[in-house]
Amino acid sequence: QVQVVESGGGLVQPGGSLRLSCQASGSTFSTYHLRWYRQAPGKERELVAAITSAGGITNYAGSVKGRFTISRDNAKNTVYLQMNSLKAEDTAVYYCNARLGWGDFWGQGTQVTVSS
């Protein structure tokens, strides 16, 4: 049983930045693969970014590549999503997913709203 908690969402103007954080419990955090997803009303949930346990390999959706950066701090059991140059179409609920060899755990989501 892994607990996953996101934070850092909020309201930001177009062109602005936000940094989302996700803390996942467990003594084996360093082995987790971590992903950020997002879902806007009426749309399917989509993968935004992913990072391997070692942090050496990252992957991004084409719509966010060059603007978003995923990173992790294993000492703090935390994964981050730095979001820059935000656009209105980035508005969504953002979810953190921890993928283990034996399980798949989700946070409750944090709302990101990009609006002037």
Side-chain angles (χ1 to χ4, degrees):
Q1 193 79 358
V2 175
Q3 304 297 317
V4 180
V5 180
E6 304 99 331
S7 62
L11 175 65
V12 65
Q13 295 184 3
S17 298
L18 282 175
R19 190 193 198 198
L20 305 183
S21 298
C22 169
Q23 188 169 43
S25 66
S27 61
T28 59
F29 178 88
S30 62
T31 71
Y32 303 171
H33 281 51
L34 297 162
R35 296 171 173 85
W36 286 97
Y37 290 78
R38 69 185 181 187
Q39 187 168 25
K43 297 183 178 180
E44 295 184 0
R45 188 171 298 187
E46 65 173 339
L47 177 65
V48 176
I51 189 167
T52 59
S53 58
I57 301 174
T58 57
N59 189 50
Y60 300 92
S63 59
V64 307
K65 188 173 294 184
R67 299 188 296 120
F68 290 11
T69 302
I70 187 171
S71 62
R72 66 191 295 161
D73 186 341
N74 288 340
K76 297 181 178 180
N77 275 35
T78 302
V79 62
Y80 304 96
L81 185 67
Q82 178 67 47
M83 305 184 294
N84 299 324
S85 301
L86 283 162
K87 306 174 181 178
E89 52 262 43
D90 295 317
T91 296
V93 177
Y94 284 71
Y95 297 91
C96 181
N97 169 256
R99 177 68 54 79
L100 290 71
W102 49 270
D104 194 345
F105 301 91
W106 294 85
Q108 80 290 343
T110 185
Q111 177 71 47
V112 173
T113 302
V114 184
S115 176
S116 60

